[in-house]
Amino acid sequence: MAIFVTGGAGFIGSQFIRDTVVQNPDELVINFDALTYAGNLENLAPVDHLPNYRMVKGDICSDADVLAAIPDGCSAVVNFAAESHVDRSILSATEFVKTNVLGTQTLLDIARHKKVGRFVHISTDEVGGSMEPNQWFSEDMPLNPSSPYAASKTAAEHLVRAAHHTFGLDTVITRTSNNYGPYQFPEKLLPLAISNALHGRNIPVYGDGLQERDWIHVADNTRALGIVLRRGRSGQTYHIGGRNPLKNLDVLKILLKAVGQPESLLTHVTDRLGHDRRYAIDCSKILAELGWEPEIPFEEGLASTIKWYQDNQKWVERTRSGEYKEYYRRMYGETSADTTNA
Ligand code: NAD
Ligand code: TYD
């Protein structure tokens, strides 16, 4: 049994690998990652000595890279690899189309030719676009993405469904809401706000701060992904959410209270272009079919996440300075680790 995980050096993929290699010692987990600015092999340090873990550096857009790394008889591809930050997609969308769309198609073609058992594709609630007040995004609703990031993730989903419909590839798509937890790159709201709050620095609030996001702890998400990988129905899409929609200002006030800092740190700045107002995901299908529901209450998950950032300030510093790239060089002896987008 071998699982080919793409983007496993990022935030969610690394949590999935840390869980999977420990819980399934008989399964080989291959972490295939291009190590862009978001890929950090320090995230795998707790497990990278285990015999069932292997890292291969490569780009999902490259047939040659993927073919050289993917084993025959691979039981599953789990595709996390993506450009994932909305603000970056507003500055330039080209890398998003390349990795998120072309990269996904490259993997689908190879998975089909290599007769991979199952293709799990990780998508986002952002493909549904902004919800109206009291409206919840369910699996059967039309897709209506707003940002270049969400548009590229939507295109990728269509290609996954097309591979299932046309060629009978065993595919499952998951759409997750906003994840938070340890090892998240400090460009996203919560890790940025936590590290600024811990140092008494201002926290940028886009626009009026009344946008709503549904927050899920990353460990709840990866537990759901393990279940979908093994028991999800072929060709289906499953929503994975925290059942916890909150306005950004409320999230930040809870955070500031938890770290004992004043609300005066909240600094309203120019709003994100085309900012979606409300994401709210209906995850009743996965509970009804597979028995999964989120278990980590937000305030508890936030407290442990704050503690992680407090205890791992060196990780944040190395991530911000780019020093984390040294880890790859030390571990794998290469002198030119990719610093794309760094
Ligand atoms: P991340 O940005 O932390 O990590 C992305 C990883 O993909 C990095 O390790 C990077 O090096 C790798 N990568 C990028 N381009 C690549 C390429 N061409 N070839 C191989 N590897 C490449 O992202 P994340 O937050 O861990 O998100 C993982 C997945 O989950 C993404 O598909 C994202 O769209 C989706 N998602 C994320 C969230 C969230 O809240 N973070 C929510 C919903 C869905
Ligand atoms: P983000 O973490 O970028 O995730 P996404 O855009 O995928 O939801 O942002 C979460 C929310 O926080 C979003 O409404 C934008 C807002 N935001 C801020 O107000 N300030 C910030 O510095 C960042 C990064 C985001």
Side-chain angles (χ1 to χ4, degrees):
M1 290 278 278
I3 303 185
F4 191 74
V5 177
T6 71
F11 166 49
I12 307 175
S14 67
Q15 175 83 39
F16 179 80
I17 291 181
R18 288 192 304 276
D19 297 346
T20 306
V21 290
V22 171
Q23 289 161 11
N24 305 283
D26 297 335
E27 235 164 34
L28 174 66
V29 178
I30 298 165
N31 177 11
F32 182 83
D33 196 300
L35 300 180
T36 68
Y37 80 96
N40 183 349
L41 288 177
E42 290 185 23
N43 301 359
L44 284 313
V47 298
D48 63 10
H49 57 285
L50 295 178
N52 62 327
Y53 170 77
R54 186 186 303 160
M55 197 276 151
V56 180
K57 187 181 171 203
D59 184 343
I60 62 166
C61 303
S62 158
D63 290 308
D65 284 2
V66 178
L67 282 167
I70 196 165
D72 288 327
C74 184
S75 54
V77 168
V78 184
N79 183 27
F80 291 95
E83 288 295 330
S84 70
H85 191 43
V86 174
D87 290 329
R88 285 179 188 257
S89 80
I90 293 167
L91 289 174
S92 169
T94 310
E95 280 304 314
F96 287 72
V97 175
K98 245 161 73 188
T99 288
N100 301 1
V101 185
L102 180 64
T104 299
Q105 185 58 45
T106 305
L107 290 172
L108 288 166
D109 287 338
I110 292 175
R112 180 159 60 93
H113 289 300
K114 284 277 192 177
K115 301 195 175 5
V116 165
R118 166 157 278 195
F119 192 100
V120 180
H121 179 74
I122 313 303
S123 191
T124 164
D125 63 354
E126 302 191 26
V127 297
S130 202
M131 296 288 114
E132 296 299 326
N134 300 321
Q135 188 187 24
W136 294 79
F137 181 41
S138 59
E139 286 86 349
D140 51 5
M141 278 167 63
L143 305 187
N144 185 29
S146 321
S147 70
Y149 162 69
S152 68
K153 294 294 289 186
T154 304
E157 278 200 23
H158 287 315
L159 293 170
V160 174
R161 270 186 295 276
H164 176 77
H165 180 84
T166 311
F167 303 110
L169 187 69
D170 181 340
T171 63
V172 191
I173 295 172
T174 63
R175 296 190 190 126
T176 318
S177 58
N178 284 61
N179 283 230
Y180 70 95
Y183 299 101
Q184 187 170 25
F185 195 84
E187 64 181 354
K188 303 271 168 71
L189 178 66
L190 267 176
L192 178 85
I194 292 171
S195 53
N196 281 14
L198 289 173
H199 290 93
R201 290 194 292 253
N202 287 343
I203 297 171
V205 177
Y206 294 172
D208 62 11
L210 299 180
Q211 306 83 3
E212 268 178 79
R213 296 292 183 269
D214 174 276
W215 295 94
I216 180 171
H217 192 278
V218 64
D220 265 338
N221 179 24
T222 53
R223 187 169 50 81
L225 295 176
I227 293 170
V228 167
L229 166 65
R230 284 160 225 284
R231 294 198 281 116
R233 277 191 297 139
S234 183
Q236 293 294 305
T237 298
Y238 293 95
H239 283 184
I240 302 171
R243 290 218 205 100
N244 188 39
L246 286 169
K247 294 194 169 43
N248 290 343
L249 268 181
D250 292 334
V251 169
L252 295 172
K253 284 177 186 169
I254 296 170
L255 163 64
L256 287 168
K257 192 163 172 225
V259 298
Q261 291 282 10
E263 290 184 9
S264 56
L265 289 184
L266 299 176
T267 308
H268 289 267
V269 298
T270 309
D271 205 355
R272 171 185 282 172
L273 288 177
H275 199 165
D276 278 342
R277 204 66 187 160
R278 175 169 188 266
Y279 298 142
I281 192 165
D282 171 357
C283 55
S284 51
K285 174 175 169 179
I286 189 172
L287 173 61
E289 275 194 23
L290 302 173
W292 175 91
E293 59 185 330
E295 286 175 354
I296 304 173
F298 182 66
E299 299 206 4
E300 208 176 279
L302 183 64
S304 65
T305 304
I306 293 169
K307 179 161 178 358
W308 189 88
Y309 280 90
Q310 239 159 358
D311 295 346
N312 291 277
Q313 292 193 21
K314 290 259 178 296
W315 179 92
V316 177
E317 281 161 30
R318 284 195 300 275
T319 303
R320 283 194 154 147
S321 72
E323 209 187 306
Y324 64 103
K325 293 287 175 196
E326 283 304 319
Y327 190 82
Y328 180 77
R329 291 189 261 270
R330 273 205 316 277
M331 290 289 292
Y332 299 93
E334 188 180 293
T335 51
S336 60
D338 186 1
T339 51
T340 314
N341 296 336

